[in-house]
Amino acid sequence: MGIHTGEPLVVAPKYVGLEVHKTARIMAAGHGGQVLISETTKTLVPEIDVMDLGKHRLKDLLQPESLYQLHVAEQPSEFPALKTLENRPTNLPVQPNALIGREAEVAEVARSLTSGIVRLLTLTGPGGTGKTRLALQAAAELTDTFAAGVFFVSLAPIRDPALVVTTIALTLSVREVSGEPLERTLVAYLNQKEMLLVLDNFEHVVDAAASIAELLVSCPRLTVLATSRERLRIGSEQVYPVAATSSPGEAGCDRRLDEQ
Ligand SMILES: Nc1ncnc2c1ncn2[C@@H]1O[C@H](COP(=O)(O)OP(=O)(O)O)[C@@H](O)[C@H]1O
Ligand SMILES: [Mg+2]
């Protein structure tokens, strides 16, 4: 159970809004029989008997939240580690604001990446349409699916396609072995790992597409989610065009709040 307090919106017959969404995230972090309580609720009900579980990053990718476990008499109080981001192998960055809308797209991208058919999915579209944000959220939803983790590799700072493999290796803390090409070391590391790599801003380094194709062939359990203004043009690629949301900025956002 997840318990949080906030002001939802009523869109009959449901409660909707970011706080409802947060409650669902808190609930999802727990295990059967465990009752998790947010900081807001704990502050409002100071007399309840809780254990402080510390700060945790939920899959909404926002700042870590303090979570508490309610003590329920004669019920188990020992549970496995919470299903939150710090307990998974991932480096997904914190986002400054909540995701607005995009639930259908996030679900579609996540579904495609777990279909077992798509090894490379490229989110395409002009700058600012929300490709990176969509990729990050879809990746966050999959942190429990990819056993070896979900890693975000920013290619924005590089211009030389030859540095793509180096950047991936650096992100994964794979060190160069003397006398061996880095590609081979990376392939040996990734070999049987079930991992999702998010390669962000691939348009800067499209000439590196062939090395991604090789990586996918050599590492059969690797899946790649790329964002790029243009497609990578390699055989196994599936393209997912990302259109801008209807209204730029925050106008009209209320209608698009996540529904739970
Ligand atoms: N659905 C969304 N909800 C909230 N903020 C968003 C959403 N989509 C994009 N943004 C924000 O808008 C800005 C541009 O989006 P971004 O994903 O970086 O676009 P792109 O990668 O296509 O250039 C970023 O600050 C991002 O966090
Ligand atoms: Mg981007």
Side-chain angles (χ1 to χ4, degrees):
M1 219 180 269
I3 305 179
H4 173 54
T5 311
E7 282 189 42
L9 304 170
V10 180
V11 179
K14 288 180 176 175
Y15 288 109
V16 300
L18 296 175
E19 304 296 348
V20 177
H21 201 79
K22 173 153 289 172
T23 315
R25 298 277 189 203
I26 293 172
M27 181 183 73
H31 299 272
Q34 190 173 29
V35 182
L36 297 176
I37 299 202
S38 73
E39 177 85 48
T40 315
T41 302
K42 184 197 162 263
T43 308
L44 288 167
V45 200
E47 63 277 16
I48 51 174
D49 182 6
V50 292
M51 178 163 70
D52 188 346
L53 300 178
K55 291 208 170 215
H56 287 268
R57 288 188 65 198
L58 302 172
K59 287 181 188 170
D60 55 15
L61 293 176
L62 299 177
Q63 292 292 340
E65 296 269 336
S66 292
L67 293 178
Y68 300 85
Q69 180 181 304
L70 183 69
H71 179 251
V72 184
E74 290 162 37
Q75 289 295 314
S77 59
E78 300 272 326
F79 294 93
L82 290 183
K83 293 182 266 176
T84 53
L85 291 189
E86 51 281 281
N87 293 324
R88 300 291 310 140
T90 185
N91 69 341
L92 292 177
V94 170
Q95 297 301 295
N97 60 338
L99 184 80
I100 297 159
R102 293 286 201 206
E103 11 342 74
E105 290 91 337
V106 169
E108 212 174 328
V109 169
R111 200 165 41 242
S112 166
L113 293 171
T114 49
S115 64
I117 302 163
V118 178
R119 301 283 312 285
L120 166 64
L121 183 69
T122 307
L123 308 188
T124 57
T129 53
K131 300 182 293 297
T132 298
R133 191 63 197 259
L134 174 56
L136 287 171
Q137 194 56 52
E141 305 296 343
L142 297 175
T143 47
D144 295 320
T145 308
F146 288 86
V150 168
F151 290 90
F152 179 77
V153 183
S154 174
L155 301 174
I158 65 170
R159 290 290 175 275
D160 179 358
L163 290 178
V164 169
V165 166
T166 315
T167 309
I168 295 172
L170 266 176
T171 305
L172 300 176
S173 306
V174 172
R175 300 244 179 91
E176 192 152 13
V177 175
S178 69
E180 185 175 285
L182 186 58
E183 281 87 347
R184 198 183 305 161
T185 316
L186 182 63
V187 164
Y189 174 81
L190 287 173
N191 189 252
Q192 289 300 324
K193 286 195 172 65
E194 192 179 1
M195 186 181 282
L196 175 67
L197 282 181
V198 181
L199 303 181
D200 190 43
N201 282 104
F202 210 91
E203 67 272 358
H204 296 297
V205 286
V206 278
D207 288 346
S211 53
I212 300 307
E214 277 170 36
L215 210 55
L216 285 167
V217 169
S218 309
C219 310
R221 302 178 76 192
L222 176 70
T223 303
V224 173
L225 172 60
T227 79
S228 181
R229 291 186 194 193
E230 44 186 295
R231 53 177 303 176
L232 275 59
R233 300 187 190 286
I234 58 178
S236 54
E237 180 180 35
Q238 178 132 339
V239 174
Y240 186 94
V242 179
T245 45
S246 54
S247 48
E250 298 298 302
C253 286
D254 285 354
R255 280 182 288 109
R256 304 186 55 85
L257 286 174
D258 296 346
E259 192 168 310
Q260 287 281 322

